[in-house]
Structure formats: C-alpha cells, structure tokens
Amino acid sequence: MSLETHVGSVTLPNPVMTASGTAGHGAEVGAYLDLASLGAVVVKSLSAEPWAGNPAPRVHETDGGMLNSVGLQNPGVEAWLAEELPDLLRTGARVVASIWGFTVEAYEKAATALRDAPAEVVAVEVNLSCPNLHPLHGVGSHRKDMFAHSAAATRDAIAATVGALSGRPAWAKLSPNVTDVTEIAAAALGAGAEALTLVNTVMGMTIDPATRRPRLGAGGGGLSGPAIRPVAVRAVYECRRAFPDAAIVGVGGIATGEHAAELLVAGADAVQVGTATFADPRAPARVLAELERWCRRNGVPRVRDLVGSASNE
C-alpha cells in the first residue's frame, strides 16, 4: 500500500510526524526510533533570540492528558542551526522548523534566519499561539491577546513570515481557543500560509486545593493529550469543509493508528504525534505502524484515500 502524502508542495513518505515541543530541538528521540522513517520531525519552537521560558514547575499530568507551561524555552534560531540541526540531519530526517515571536517583527526576524537553511528543512511551522505585544489595530496591547486569537494579527504574522522565507513553505499553527477557527484559518491562508496545523493546546489550569496555589509555576498552561482529540477532529473537519483545497495537518491527542486515521478522515493530509511521546518516545513510529496495519485491515490501498472522506449523512 502507499503511505505517501502531500502537505501543500511538500511530499512526505508517510503522514506521521512529531509535534512541535514534544521531541526536542534536535535528534533527542533518535535513540528510540528511526527519525528518517517518519514523515518529518517538527522541532520545538524557536525564536529569533534565545528565550529562557517559564518558571518551574512546567508540566503537570491531568486525568485526560497533560498541562504544560514550558514557555517556549529555546536557544534561538542561529544557535539551533549551528548546534542542533546538524545532528538531526545526520539521521536522514526531513525537518519542519517551528518559529514564534512576541511581535510581527520577531516572526520576520526568525524566518529570515531560516531563509538559507538546508533543503532538508522542508517547511516552517508558524506557532501563532503566542502573546502579541503589539497593539491590535487600535484595540491596545494585552499579553493575553494571542496572534492566533485575531484574524488581523494572524494575517500580519503570516505575511511577514512568508515574505522573509522567500519560497520555503509556511504552515500556520492555530489555536482552538477561538469562537470560529475558520475565520482565523482564512486569514492565514489569505496571507500566504501553505498549510494549516490544527490544533495547538487548549488553555487550562490546575490548582492544588491544599496549598491554594496553581500547580504550574506560571499559573495556567496548555492542555494536550487525549482530552483534546475531539477538539482537533472538529477543527480539522470544519476547516476541510470551509477550505476544500487547503493543506491541513491534524494534531491533538493522537496515540494510536486509529486516532491518526480519524484525523485523516476528518480532513488532515498528515498528522503529528505529541504528548504520547512523553509516555513512550517510540510513539510516532508505533502510530505509523498501527496506521499501516489499520489501512490494510480496512482495505485502504492509499492513505490519501482517507483524507477528508468523512460523511455527515
């Protein structure tokens, strides 16, 4: 059977990738699986300058997954290119870089630094779930106003990134914490994003009732894992219906081959495995093997046949 898929102009040998933030900046999980066997490795988000992240504790297990408030700690794009990427490329992996910033100019600067990255960096995922420190078209500046919560801010960040990349594909990673994700998706696609990555974490919080204090050092965090898979399925399904020709990557709570098939049927061209990797570093390879077996059992000769095949009848 054929596992090959396409995310816009990017051809992948199979539809299973790692998710940003869950497999490190380089070849860390290469000790547990063949990174070249995956569709691609999506690295932890990078900013133009080094960033220390949030105070500990940064992660907390919940009944339905995990809350994290790592705060996008990273060494900066230039250090990543020099110190982390070479080891990752030696594994033979296809790489998707991920970038973030507090301002449109910061996205542009990070993207510019990646303009001349090796060809094995097949795309750049633009993590838009970051606080926007610029005034939102007269509304004012608020740390809780994330880029992905505003169509205008999303458009500006994607347009700046696309211009700086000069032809390298940009994927817009969107937040589920909005009233209508298709509105934000339309802005991203209109600004030149080649694909949508759906979705990032759901905002959440946990408090220790004994101490009366949040269990995460920064207070709230992002919920990931099994609890958010239905959220991801719906976002993918709605965006596939709204944008039939768009490239879509589904992410959120995937831990088995059948979970991956569900996101593909909902409309994803490819999927990312994230939180499952914390419990089992081999999870992306296992999900890929299970997806192939699922396709064979269900008489699916090409994984592309699944994409967007869901029926509401």
Side-chain angles (χ1 to χ4, degrees):
M1 66 167 294
S2 172
L3 292 172
E4 184 177 276
T5 192
H6 309 278
V7 180
S9 64
V10 178
T11 298
L12 302 176
N14 64 72
V16 177
M17 297 179 268
T18 61
S20 180
T22 62
H25 289 111
E28 290 94 319
V29 296
Y32 302 95
L33 71 158
D34 177 9
L35 296 177
S37 70
L38 301 177
V41 172
V42 187
V43 300
K44 197 173 185 300
S45 294
L46 300 155
S47 50
E49 312 293 342
W51 184 253
N54 286 336
R58 293 174 163 189
V59 296
H60 183 80
E61 186 177 359
T62 70
D63 293 337
M66 183 184 77
L67 276 169
N68 96 82
S69 181
V70 174
L72 297 164
Q73 177 183 344
N74 75 96
V77 176
E78 296 290 353
W80 176 76
L81 287 168
E83 301 168 13
E84 302 275 4
L85 181 60
D87 285 344
L88 182 52
L89 294 183
R90 277 191 281 273
T91 70
R94 288 152 295 280
V95 178
V96 176
S98 174
I99 61 171
W100 70 278
F102 287 129
T103 64
V104 171
E105 291 77 13
Y107 279 100
E108 183 176 23
K109 186 174 181 180
T112 299
L114 288 168
R115 182 182 295 167
D116 297 322
E120 292 88 349
V121 180
V122 297
V124 174
E125 190 172 80
V126 187
N127 181 358
L128 293 161
S129 296
C130 306
N132 181 9
L133 300 190
H134 271 185
L136 295 181
H137 299 271
V139 175
S141 178
H142 303 285
R143 286 189 62 86
K144 292 183 179 179
D145 287 333
M146 294 184 181
F147 281 89
H149 293 178
S150 161
T154 292
R155 181 194 63 225
D156 292 348
I158 291 295
T161 299
V162 169
L165 289 175
S166 297
R168 198 182 300 265
W171 301 355
K173 187 170 185 178
L174 303 185
S175 168
N177 303 298
V178 294
T179 302
D180 183 2
V181 71
T182 64
E183 177 188 359
I184 311 299
L189 294 170
E194 190 170 291
L196 306 169
T197 301
L198 306 167
V199 290
N200 212 318
T201 57
V202 175
M203 291 189 296
M205 189 175 188
T206 181
I207 297 172
D208 184 341
T211 64
R212 279 73 160 174
R213 296 183 61 81
R215 287 190 167 103
L216 294 176
L223 177 66
S224 62
I228 75 164
R229 192 172 67 255
V231 177
V233 170
R234 179 161 183 168
V236 168
Y237 181 78
E238 290 184 347
C239 284
R240 175 55 66 207
R241 286 168 61 90
F243 313 106
D245 299 323
I248 297 175
V249 177
V251 54
I254 296 174
T256 70
E258 186 169 353
H259 295 165
E262 181 182 20
L263 266 294
L264 294 169
V265 167
D269 298 285
V271 299
Q272 296 175 357
V273 179
T275 300
T277 306
F278 286 99
D280 175 12
R282 299 176 178 83
R286 177 177 50 75
V287 168
L288 175 57
E290 291 176 359
L291 174 62
E292 182 173 6
R293 290 196 296 270
W294 185 94
C295 288
R296 293 185 185 280
R297 286 198 310 271
N298 288 275
V300 179
R302 301 188 316 150
V303 76
R304 292 289 308 170
D305 294 340
L306 293 174
V307 176
S309 59
S311 171
N312 60 359
E313 295 180 357

